Each structure stands twice: as C-alpha cells, then as structure tokens.
Amino acid sequence: MKKRTHFWPQALLLTVFALIGFLLTCPALAAEKLTIVASTPDLADLTRAVGGNRVEVSALAQGNQDYHFVPARPSFILKLKQADALVHIGLDLEQWLPPLVASSRNSKIFTGGLGNVDCSIGLPLLQVPQGRVDRSMGDIHGNGNPHYWLDPVNARYITANIANGLKRVDPAGAAYYDAQRTAYLKQLAPKITQWMTESKPLKGLKVVAYHNSWPYFEKRFGLNIVGFIEPKPGIPPSPKHIQSVIALMKAQNVKVIIMEPYFSQSVAGMIAKATGAKVVILPPAIGGVPSVTSYIGLFDTQLDRLNAAVR
Amino acid sequence: MHYRHSFVVSLALSLGLFSSCAWAQSPQTGTKLSQEEELAQMRAEMAAMHQSMHTMQTRYQQQLNQMQDTVDTLQARVSRTPITVDALNKSSQAAPEAQEALGDSLLFGDDSNNAGNTGNSQPVAAGILSNTASGAVTVPRNTLQNFVPDISLLGDITGLMSPSRSVEGRNRFNLRETEIAIQSVIDPYARADFFLSVPDASGLEVEEGYITLLSLPMGFQAKVGKFRNAVGRLNRTHGPELPQVDRPNVLVNLFGEEGLAETGISLSHILPTPWFSQLEVEFANGDNEVLLGHGRFTKPTVVSHLKQFFDLAPFHSLEVGLSGAVGARGEADRGRLTGLGGVDLTYKWFPPNQTRGITWMTELLGAKMEAPVTGRDFAWGGYSFIETRLTPRVYVGVRADYSQIPLSNTSEFAIAPYFNFWQSEFGRFRAEYKHTFANQAPSTDALWLQYTATLGTHQPHPF
C-alpha cells in the first residue's frame, strides 16, 4: 500500500523557502550621489553634463543597438529599482522600457513620478502624423519622429528637461544644475558654429538613408534625403524595393547612402555597387562606432564621414 | 537688392569694354608705332580699371551679403519663425563675429516658437513622412486619447496536415486563437492586464485577468486575479507568442493544453544579489484539469519560482530558473497531492547587427503523485530547442521533446524543426513539422502552417 503524504508540510516548506529569500533582503545603502538611469548613452552623456558631481549615471541600451529593438533584460530592472530618476527619449521609441519600469517596484520613475524625465517634452518635433495613422505606414511613431537628439541644437531642450527632472528629485541642487547646463551649452555653441561651417559642402547633397532616423540631422545640416532602403519604417527591404531604390538613385544621380551600423550592410553594399554610390556608416549614437564617446564627438564623426564621402 | 548692384557694375564694365574696342578700331592719323604704343597703354589702363572694378564688386558683394544676413535674422526674430537652414548657411559665410554668435543664438536665443508652445504649432501638411524634413511642431500632449487603455488583438491562424488519425484537428484550417488584450495602469499604484481569448473561433474565455500592485512596501510586488503561473519558462507564454506552433509536450501532459493558469494571489520580490534574482510565491485555487485540480483555497496550489539572470558578456545572457509546486488533485483522484519540481535554462546571444542571434532554451519538469489510482506515481519530461536567426526576417530552429504522461504508463518523444518568417514586426508566418514516437501508440506526423498577426498596441508582458 502506497504511503500517503500530507499537504501542509509541503506547502509550508515552499513558503518557508520563499520567506528565507525575502528575509535576506536588506535596504540598499543610501548613496551620496543621485542614481540616474538613462535609456540611451546619448541621454546619459547629457545627464552627466547637467548633473555633474551630484549624479551617478548609467545607460541601459548601447549605442550600437537599434533603440527600437533593445532586448529587455531583467538585469535592467535591477538598475531601475535603484534609480532616483529615469531619463528617456519618449515618443514611444523605447517600447521595451514600460514593462521594465512596471517591474522595478520604483514609483519614483513611473509615468508621472518625480523622477520620470521624458526628454521630448516641449521639443520642436518633425514628421508628426496628421490624419489617420495605421501600420500600413510601417513602424511609425504617432507623436512624431523620435530621433531628435541627432540635431545638436535640440540639446537645449533635452538638457532643459534633464535639469528640470534633476531639480524635482534634488531641489537643493537646482542652482547647480542650471549652472552646469549653461556651461555645457556654452561648450556646445562654438561646436555648432563649427559644424555649420563644416557642413557647407553637404548642403543639398542628395542621399538615400536606410531608415528614417535622420530628419533632424537633415534639417540642421541641409542634406536632401531622397529615399530610403526600407520601404516603410521598420520593414526590411524586398528585392523589388531594392530595384526601385537603385532606379531612383540613378535617376537622381545619388552618390551617397547613409546607414546605421546595425543594419544589413550587404543590402546597402549591393545598391552601392549597382549605382556607384558610397556607403557611409553614420553612428546614430554614442558607441555606434567605438571612436564616438561623447555627444559632441558624435557630430564630429558624422560630419567627418560625410565630408570624406563627398570630397 | 544686391542683384541690382551687380547688374549696374556689370553694365559699366561692358560699356567700358565696348567703348574701348570701338575706339581701338576707329581710323587714326598718327604713325603705326605710336598707335601701337597708345593702344598698349590703353590696354594697361583698361586692365587696371577692370581690376579695380572687380575689387569694388567683391567688396560690395560681401557687404551686401552681411546686410542680407542681418535682415534675414531680424526678420526671423520679428516673425518668430525658425531660422532656416539657408539662413544658417548664409550666416556661416558671414563675418567672424557673426559666426561666433551662431551657436549661441541657436542654443540661447528666443525659442518661444518651439519649446512648450503648443498654441502656435503648425502641423505638418500633406506627406507627413515625406523624405524631406518638414516644419517643426510641438505636439500637444495630455490628450484624452492617452487615457484609453492599450487595446490589441492577436490572431493565430493555423492549417494542420497529418496522415495520422490520432492527431486532433488534422487536415483543417483553424482560427486557433483570437486574443484580445486590454492593458492599462489603474492609478499610480496599480495596473491591470486582461487577456480574453476565443479558442477555435467559439466561446469567450478569460485567459488571464489580473491586477498588479506595483510598488508595495519593502520592495514587494503583488498580483491578484487569474494568471499563468510561474512554473518553468514557457508556461507563462500565451499560445500565439510561443516560440513554436505548439506548446511542448511536457507542459501539455502535466498541465493540459492551456498550461497552468490559476486564480489566486502572487507575491514577488527582487533579492539583493549583484545579479537579477527574483523570487515569486503564488497561492491559487487549484483548477487545473490534470494534476492540481482541487478547486478550493483551503488546499491551495502553491507555486514558487526563483529566477536568476546573468549578463555573461555584452549581448550574451543566461537565465536559470528553479520551480516548485504542490497542490491537491481533483475529486477523481480523491484530492491526493501532487508535488512538482523543475529547472529551466535559457541562453541568448543577440548581437546588435540584427542579422544574427541564437536562443537555446531547455526545461525539465518532474511530478510526484501521491498514491495514484492508476499509472505511475512519478512522471517527468523536458524539452530543448535551439533557434538561430539567419537574416533580419528569417529564423529557423529545432525542438526535441520527451515526456512521460502522468497517471499512465505512456511516454513519448518528439522532434520538431520549424521556420519563422517575419514579414514585419507585427506579422509572422511559420511552418513546423513534428514527428512523435510513443511507447504505447503508433508514431504520428504533423505539419503546421501558421500565421500570427498583432493589431494595435500589444504591450510586452511585465516580468
């Protein structure tokens, strides 16, 4: 006869097992500096500039990743759990972020929390859809194109949002954050002047882009993006579309293709071979290529690469 | 304005040249030599005059450009329109002091047209995603639309071909599942996730419906309602989002076609380890059709899961899970107990270039049944699959299953290669072939074709 076991001892054992784990928990030691998590390395760099020595900043995504499709790793939850503020791009670019925030148990960074810093607030946006929008248009963003950090002038709005967020979670540092922001923008201003001069040969330059990441960059530096390798945002190119891009480039004598480092270079290479164009890998973010380590360095590299292509 | 000046200067030059030519060709009374000397002198004077005029023209042009830039800048300020790229490029050609001011004016100048001013925004007209950048606008936020929950629908359409009579639903097309998701925060403290399901195009079921209390004291998070339980790795995944067409045999044999989804309460906590480590404990009624079906919380189904996540290197990760569950079986089995234990491993390599990637997932589960009326008192099983990304759109993989069927003496082994094609982020085509060997039944073959579509904003499920 089979021996009958009892329910409650087993249930109790599981519960005790869980409680031991809970009791191991101790509150994290209070840090002297604010712990800030930025969704991207670009925002992390700007947050370091504004926060100075009052903040410790880390980034979730890496600059060589497509910010639309960052794998949401549970290790991100650990960072978010400890964060005093979360600085993010907004405009639904980081679709991977909301479930991480929901799992963080950190109400400071929830939407509406003092530490939730949406850097797109108040920013002059491009390509805001009007009228009916649906997925037949590809993976578009309902509130406007979110790649706004690719215009260096938008740093004024991004840093304003960051400064406001830091002031909300650390009111004692308000004057410091304002001074830091002004100092950074003064550092950035002559660089913008320099970039505008350096971009003169690019004015009106016809290019084809892989993805619709560059409207802010295009507007600031005067490029003319005449087509995209993706038939619609986020839709990989079909052979038929590739042929239409080749025809377009030949008809308009387009000699430059710009693309992010994470897209398929074989497709761009094939189009370049058929049209005699050059493929320019433009890092869209800090870390997009190893040599780009700062927000200012990002535009130095982008313009250097484009100018080298048109020389 | 500067065009007019250029025209006047050019006209003067033309007249000078014309008159000099006319004079040079007129009949003269002096000697040939003196005429040639005079002609040479006149030519030299003309060249000097031409040089002088050119210098004046260049100077006037520079002055005119500067004046034009000043006018453009002032007009932009007065009309409060953004400074155009043309104006900026002209400014970059201006005097050095003007160049130094350009970056400052862009970063510190008047931005009332842009930042925070929604009233004067000029929407982009037609061709919103045209290839050229359009006018800048500031989006009005906090619209009423933001209060509408995220609503989405997943459609899972399959066609199953099989020569084996024992394969259920063979040689039919099937709208296997229609899943409707309604998800939203409730207030600053809680969110709700409801997933309604229509299996086989008939009858509405609540697959999951729970409230999550997001931030309880001491770092706890709680979930109440009906939810898929934290046993193993794939039990939580909804049908249309499974990595293969069908749920692995071990999960079907231990928990039924729909897996283990109970109504109750869940408590979770992130442990203070350097890596991500989360412990969950769930107390549920026990409504499962196979092993945990007592149906009352006086003898609840208790589930516990410890999840450990390690970043092995950039873009390489390993997840290790340990699961345990205990509960009473249904009346047919006289409410006797079942205890389960399991381990799961998931390795992922997801390089940033979007053209490669590997997922390897393995899960083992065992169930010990107290005094079963029929069959074995211990059953175990597991699956392992590896999937690789071949192109941005194409994934291929193969899964192996072994499973003993509890409360019987049957076991089965299956092998299932499959192919995924993502036409976009929201539509996926899949083909899977499965061959199953069973120890007490004939082998079976099945070929699925599946199309899965996502409509609307389907939020990824919280961890």
Side-chain angles (χ1 to χ4, degrees):
Chain A
M1 180 180 172
K2 291 178 179 174
K3 184 182 173 186
R4 181 166 183 176
T5 53
H6 297 281
F7 169 76
W8 282 110
Q10 291 190 41
L12 197 62
L13 192 66
L14 265 177
T15 308
V16 168
F17 167 64
L19 282 175
I20 289 170
F22 294 155
L23 291 173
L24 284 171
T25 306
C26 62
L29 295 174
E32 288 183 5
K33 292 184 175 182
L34 291 179
T35 302
I36 312 294
V37 173
S39 63
T40 72
D42 319 287
L43 297 184
D45 192 57
L46 294 174
T47 306
R48 283 187 200 98
V50 175
N53 57 21
R54 294 179 77 93
V55 300
E56 198 70 55
V57 186
S58 63
L60 297 179
Q62 298 190 28
N64 55 359
Q65 290 178 292
D66 185 347
Y67 291 162
H68 299 80
F69 302 109
V70 175
R73 290 179 285 169
S75 50
F76 291 168
I77 297 173
L78 273 188
K79 288 184 175 179
L80 293 170
K81 184 170 181 276
Q82 306 295 335
D84 294 299
L86 167 65
V87 180
H88 59 104
I89 293 168
L91 302 175
D92 298 329
L93 178 67
E94 306 115 319
Q95 294 273 346
W96 43 275
L97 199 51
L100 296 169
V101 171
S103 298
S104 70
R105 286 92 165 146
N106 185 353
S107 58
K108 282 185 284 191
I109 63 169
F110 291 168
T111 303
L114 290 180
N116 188 303
V117 183
D118 181 342
C119 289
S120 70
I121 300 295
L123 199 137
L125 298 169
L126 297 178
Q127 298 180 343
V128 180
Q130 301 290 300
R132 182 178 171 79
V133 176
D134 62 33
R135 292 293 177 204
S136 68
M137 304 166 75
D139 193 6
I140 67 162
H141 297 271
N143 287 320
N145 193 299
H147 303 86
Y148 55 78
W149 71 93
L150 291 170
D151 176 355
V153 175
N154 283 342
R156 68 183 289 176
Y157 309 108
I158 300 170
T159 54
N161 282 313
I162 292 171
N164 287 337
L166 294 179
K167 285 189 247 180
R168 286 196 299 268
V169 295
D170 179 24
Y176 176 79
Y177 297 130
D178 282 338
Q180 283 285 117
R181 173 178 178 256
T182 303
Y184 182 77
L185 293 183
K186 282 185 175 173
Q187 185 187 347
L188 190 61
K191 290 297 294 185
I192 289 176
T193 305
Q194 175 194 327
W195 293 328
M196 295 306 295
T197 305
E198 289 176 358
S199 63
K200 277 162 61 180
L202 306 177
K203 189 188 173 192
L205 176 69
K206 289 182 176 178
V207 302
V208 159
Y210 197 106
H211 178 72
N212 187 17
S213 305
W214 306 96
Y216 297 90
F217 185 85
E218 176 193 31
K219 183 176 166 65
R220 181 58 58 201
F221 296 117
L223 272 68
N224 182 9
I225 298 174
V226 299
F228 299 96
I229 292 180
E230 288 181 337
K232 298 282 175 67
I235 308 291
S238 62
K240 185 180 174 186
H241 181 71
I242 289 171
Q243 289 307 315
S244 73
V245 172
I246 290 171
L248 173 80
M249 290 179 68
K250 285 180 176 173
Q252 298 207 22
N253 195 28
V254 180
K255 292 299 176 191
V256 175
I257 297 170
I258 59 174
M259 64 175 291
E260 296 83 344
Y262 41 76
F263 287 124
S264 169
Q265 293 181 27
S266 62
V267 174
M270 186 171 68
I271 296 172
K273 190 175 177 184
T275 57
K278 289 181 181 173
V279 178
V280 182
I281 306 293
L282 283 190
I286 296 171
V289 293
S291 58
V292 177
T293 56
S294 70
Y295 187 67
I296 288 175
L298 175 64
F299 297 99
D300 282 335
T301 300
Q302 289 171 340
L303 292 175
D304 284 351
R305 291 187 171 205
L306 276 171
N307 277 318
V310 298
R311 250 177 234 137
Chain B
M1 185 165 63
H2 55 283
Y3 293 114
R4 199 182 307 151
H5 283 252
S6 303
F7 177 75
V8 170
V9 171
S10 303
L11 187 63
L13 275 171
S14 305
L15 285 173
L17 283 169
F18 176 76
S19 60
S20 65
C21 290
W23 178 83
Q25 290 172 3
S26 64
Q28 299 298 313
T29 56
T31 63
K32 188 178 180 182
L33 184 62
S34 63
Q35 283 180 347
E36 287 177 353
E37 285 175 349
E38 284 178 3
L39 192 58
Q41 188 178 355
M42 290 297 291
R43 280 178 179 157
E45 287 175 0
M46 284 297 297
M49 190 184 298
H50 184 267
Q51 180 64 36
S52 173
M53 294 289 281
H54 180 70
T55 307
M56 285 173 62
Q57 184 188 22
T58 306
R59 193 169 70 243
Y60 283 139
Q61 191 64 53
Q62 287 175 344
Q63 289 175 353
L64 285 168
N65 286 346
Q66 289 176 21
M67 290 169 67
Q68 188 66 45
D69 293 340
T70 305
V71 169
D72 285 350
T73 306
L74 288 171
Q75 279 180 340
R77 286 185 182 173
V78 169
S79 62
R80 297 197 169 186
T81 55
I83 299 172
T84 64
V85 173
D86 285 346
L88 291 174
N89 287 333
K90 285 175 187 169
S91 298
S92 65
Q93 300 165 6
E97 58 271 24
Q99 285 189 17
E100 285 173 14
L102 176 59
D104 286 316
S105 70
L106 288 167
L107 289 176
F108 298 102
D110 180 16
D111 71 336
S112 59
N113 185 60
N114 295 327
N117 182 1
T118 59
N120 294 329
S121 61
Q122 294 296 317
V124 179
I128 50 157
L129 291 178
S130 61
N131 296 332
T132 53
S134 306
V137 300
T138 303
V139 182
R141 305 293 176 81
N142 302 322
T143 56
L144 195 61
Q145 189 179 6
N146 287 347
F147 294 102
V148 177
D150 292 329
I151 300 171
S152 63
L153 186 146
L154 270 68
D156 181 3
I157 302 154
T158 59
L160 171 59
M161 285 170 279
S162 174
S164 314
R165 291 179 185 275
S166 59
V167 174
E168 194 175 340
R170 72 189 182 109
N171 302 333
R172 281 179 58 81
F173 295 109
N174 194 11
L175 177 53
R176 191 171 68 164
E177 184 169 355
T178 307
E179 179 182 307
I180 302 158
I182 303 170
Q183 301 170 274
S184 177
V185 293
I186 299 170
D187 57 26
Y189 313 107
R191 63 171 290 122
D193 296 86
F194 281 78
F195 301 91
L196 311 178
S197 174
V198 183
D200 301 323
S202 64
L204 187 66
E205 298 175 359
V206 178
E207 183 170 9
E208 288 192 282
Y210 55 84
I211 312 297
T212 306
L213 304 172
L214 294 166
S215 185
L216 295 175
M218 297 176 66
F220 283 89
Q221 196 169 74
K223 212 158 60 172
V224 292
K226 183 182 181 186
F227 43 85
R228 304 189 72 88
N229 296 94
V231 173
R233 187 68 169 73
L234 275 188
N235 181 62
R236 285 185 159 183
T237 307
H238 293 191
E241 296 166 309
L242 286 167
Q244 295 87 32
V245 177
D246 59 326
R247 206 171 280 281
N249 287 351
V250 61
L251 300 181
V252 174
N253 291 334
L254 292 181
F255 305 125
E257 289 288 341
E258 301 304 318
L260 188 64
E262 299 284 311
T263 304
I265 181 169
S266 166
L267 205 59
S268 70
H269 198 265
I270 298 173
L271 304 180
T273 50
W275 63 92
F276 179 84
S277 181
Q278 178 174 272
L279 185 61
E280 291 178 88
V281 178
E282 300 170 346
F283 300 88
N285 292 337
D287 296 320
N288 183 256
E289 60 189 272
V290 184
L291 291 178
L292 301 163
H294 186 259
R296 286 180 290 278
F297 60 65
T298 48
K299 272 190 180 180
T301 292
V302 183
V303 178
S304 181
H305 185 252
L306 178 65
K307 174 176 175 174
Q308 314 268 324
F309 183 88
F310 306 95
D311 285 311
L312 300 178
F315 312 114
H316 295 262
S317 67
L318 179 67
E319 183 180 320
V320 182
L322 295 171
S323 305
V326 62
R329 300 201 294 280
E331 293 302 323
D333 247 336
R334 301 177 190 172
R336 287 171 179 162
L337 299 185
T338 296
L340 287 106
V343 60
D344 58 89
L345 293 169
T346 306
Y347 164 79
K348 282 190 177 181
W349 172 55
F350 39 90
N353 64 11
Q354 298 187 12
T355 55
R356 293 286 179 270
I358 289 176
T359 300
W360 172 55
M361 188 182 294
T362 297
E363 189 173 336
L364 295 172
L365 279 168
K368 179 84 169 76
M369 284 72 68
E370 178 199 17
V373 176
T374 58
R376 55 167 70 92
D377 64 354
F378 179 75
W380 74 280
Y383 67 87
S384 183
F385 77 83
I386 187 161
E387 179 181 290
T388 184
R389 186 180 199 178
L390 297 182
T391 74
R393 291 173 147 185
V394 176
Y395 296 71
V396 296
V398 61
R399 187 188 71 197
D401 277 285
Y402 173 76
S403 177
Q404 296 175 338
I405 297 174
L407 309 176
S408 79
N409 293 314
T410 309
S411 61
E412 57 188 15
F413 174 77
I415 189 86
Y418 62 96
F419 164 92
N420 290 341
F421 175 77
W422 290 85
Q423 70 180 30
S424 74
E425 191 185 342
F426 311 99
R428 180 190 61 205
F429 171 82
R430 176 182 277 158
E432 179 183 330
Y433 166 75
K434 184 177 181 182
H435 182 80
T436 305
F437 308 89
N439 68 343
Q440 294 185 353
S443 297
T444 60
D445 293 282
L447 176 66
W448 280 279
L449 300 177
Q450 180 190 37
Y451 187 85
T452 312
T454 304
L455 285 65
T457 307
H458 190 76
Q459 290 285 349
H461 301 186
F463 291 95

